[in-house]
Amino acid sequence: MQIKRPKTKPIDKQGKPKVLAIVGQTAVGKSDIGVLLAKSFNGEVVSSDSRQVYRGLDLGTGKITKKEMRGIVHHLLDEANPSRKFTAVDFQKKGYKKIKEILSRGKNPILVGGTGFYAQILLEGWQMPNVKENKKLRKSLNEKTSSQLIEILKKLDPKRIKEVDVKNKIRLIRSIEIAKAVGNVPKIIKTKPYDILWLGITLPNNILKGKISKRLGVRIRKGMIKEAERLHKSGLSYKRMEKLGLEYRYMARFLSGKISKEKMIESLEKEIWKYAKRQKTWFKKIEGIKWFSPKQIGKIKKETKRFLNNRFTPS
């Protein structure tokens, strides 16, 4: 499905509304900075997290709490039923609508999240190929290893294999699905509906790794496993929890008796760190990101003020 560029009130010289995007790896402090900038610059936050969009996935995804929001309106959290898949196209559609609403209120949209793919398809206006899910094909591909999927995609579309996240099995399967339906995956067309300030938040590896481990421990003590138990009792299958990934995948394996609690925690620390490294690789590919430490609040505010006050973007 191709999504048309949203109609919004022109703000800069090219008629493009200005949008702030705060991106970076998990646990670097994006949510706090999003709230701070929203407080300082009359903003509302739009989440770009592929799992925080689901209701009830709170501690497991590290979702911001009402208290932490400090009165700032947050959009695209708790938007979907976790038993049903919420696609990237769904996110793009709703994201366009939310940004338009925020702008209509005279406020500044601030995208915050670690799912780089979601951030880009929305803010850069990617036109997504109109290919429906092939359940039979997906079932057979799910049984294959990532290495096998890579080889299949290489044969189908050698160009796409250079662009897709080869460590993301879901993205590999989707690329194969599209390639089998329409031939080579079409080149991504970016309609560029917004003038974007990409603010990247980063930490040294050793510090971030420690924060990830500590954050996991805090979430477990606060009841992350009980949250997963409640979700399962309310109808969320272990199979679906596996597909939701990371914390829910390993909690499902623990709760179903496949692994011990110790193994669950050990696996999660490793897998979350691997995920953080994949995030870093993805964000490095986005042109124009300005990188800051979470402690550089003054510089982040200064850059934001300069961007918002400059109504005419250089061509």
Side-chain angles (χ1 to χ4, degrees):
M1 180 179 293
Q2 291 189 350
I3 309 298
K4 293 181 180 179
R5 175 172 154 178
K7 295 178 181 178
T8 46
K9 186 177 178 181
I11 291 181
D12 71 359
K13 191 174 182 180
Q14 284 79 27
K16 295 180 181 180
K18 290 180 177 289
V19 179
L20 300 173
I22 302 170
V23 297
Q25 294 163 280
T26 185
V28 293
K30 300 182 296 294
S31 295
D32 290 343
I33 291 172
V35 168
L36 187 149
L37 291 185
K39 285 274 187 187
S40 302
F41 297 99
N42 189 33
E44 293 183 16
V45 171
V46 178
S47 169
S48 64
D49 188 290
S50 62
R51 295 186 308 153
Q52 291 185 6
V53 72
Y54 293 111
R55 290 186 291 275
L57 274 62
D58 302 328
L59 287 168
T61 63
K63 191 181 293 179
I64 189 170
T65 65
K66 288 289 183 185
K67 183 179 179 181
E68 290 166 341
M69 289 179 188
R70 296 168 56 200
I72 294 299
V73 177
H74 281 63
H75 303 275
L76 297 187
L77 294 173
D78 304 319
E79 189 78 24
N81 184 332
S83 295
R84 298 191 183 98
K85 187 175 180 182
F86 187 87
T87 68
V89 171
D90 293 331
F91 172 80
Q92 190 184 48
K93 281 182 180 179
K94 287 184 178 287
Y96 282 154
K97 183 180 178 182
K98 294 299 181 183
I99 290 175
K100 184 177 180 180
E101 289 173 359
I102 294 167
L103 290 165
S104 73
R105 290 191 286 271
K107 291 180 172 286
N108 291 304
I110 304 173
L111 194 82
V112 180
T115 307
F117 177 54
Y118 275 29
Q120 283 190 280
I121 65 167
L122 174 59
L123 297 188
E124 295 178 351
W126 292 13
Q127 292 187 348
M128 308 299 287
N130 184 16
V131 175
K132 293 182 179 179
E133 289 186 15
N134 184 329
K135 291 184 179 179
K136 186 177 179 181
L137 175 63
R138 287 191 173 203
K139 185 178 179 181
S140 67
L141 293 175
N142 264 316
E143 295 170 356
K144 298 185 182 296
T145 65
S146 294
S147 298
Q148 290 172 321
L149 294 173
I150 289 168
E151 290 305 313
I152 293 170
L153 185 57
K154 272 183 182 177
K155 292 176 182 177
L156 290 170
D157 191 349
K159 290 183 179 178
R160 178 61 178 159
I161 197 66
K162 296 176 182 178
E163 299 171 350
V164 72
D165 180 357
V166 295
K167 294 182 180 179
N168 189 321
K169 196 171 180 179
I170 294 173
R171 302 279 180 250
L172 283 169
I173 290 173
R174 179 58 177 164
S175 295
I176 292 169
E177 185 176 52
I178 294 170
K180 280 185 174 289
V182 299
N184 290 353
V185 178
K187 185 178 179 181
I188 294 169
I189 297 172
K190 301 178 182 181
T191 62
K192 299 183 178 179
Y194 306 113
D195 182 22
I196 314 160
L197 173 61
W198 292 99
L199 297 169
I201 311 302
T202 187
L203 284 169
N205 284 347
N206 61 325
I207 295 175
L208 182 57
K209 203 166 186 178
K211 283 196 72 174
I212 287 172
S213 180
K214 183 179 178 181
R215 188 177 183 230
L216 177 61
V218 169
R219 287 185 290 158
I220 290 172
R221 288 193 295 275
K222 284 185 175 180
M224 188 173 82
I225 297 171
K226 289 187 182 298
E227 175 182 279
E229 285 179 324
R230 287 195 301 273
L231 287 165
H232 182 61
K233 287 178 181 177
S234 67
L236 190 66
S237 68
Y238 288 141
K239 184 178 179 181
R240 177 58 181 154
M241 288 170 72
E242 280 272 350
K243 289 182 178 179
L244 287 168
L246 284 179
E247 293 87 352
Y248 295 95
R249 174 176 295 147
Y250 289 95
M251 285 193 289
R253 293 176 186 179
F254 165 61
L255 293 172
S256 60
K258 293 179 180 178
I259 60 174
S260 66
K261 184 177 180 180
E262 291 73 21
K263 180 65 176 176
M264 178 196 76
I265 295 170
E266 178 189 341
S267 299
L268 274 177
E269 287 199 350
K270 289 179 181 177
E271 292 304 316
I272 295 171
W273 177 240
K274 286 181 182 177
Y275 171 63
K277 289 195 288 185
R278 292 198 299 273
Q279 286 178 302
K280 187 174 184 178
T281 299
W282 184 284
F283 288 121
K284 277 185 176 180
K285 295 177 183 178
I286 300 177
E287 293 181 8
I289 293 186
K290 298 179 184 295
W291 291 99
F292 299 92
S293 156
K295 292 182 179 180
Q296 293 179 300
I297 299 301
K299 289 185 178 180
I300 293 170
K301 281 187 173 182
K302 184 177 180 181
E303 188 64 38
T304 301
K305 185 176 181 180
R306 181 204 63 76
F307 171 74
L308 293 175
N309 287 345
N310 180 11
R311 295 179 63 85
F312 299 99
T313 303
S315 57

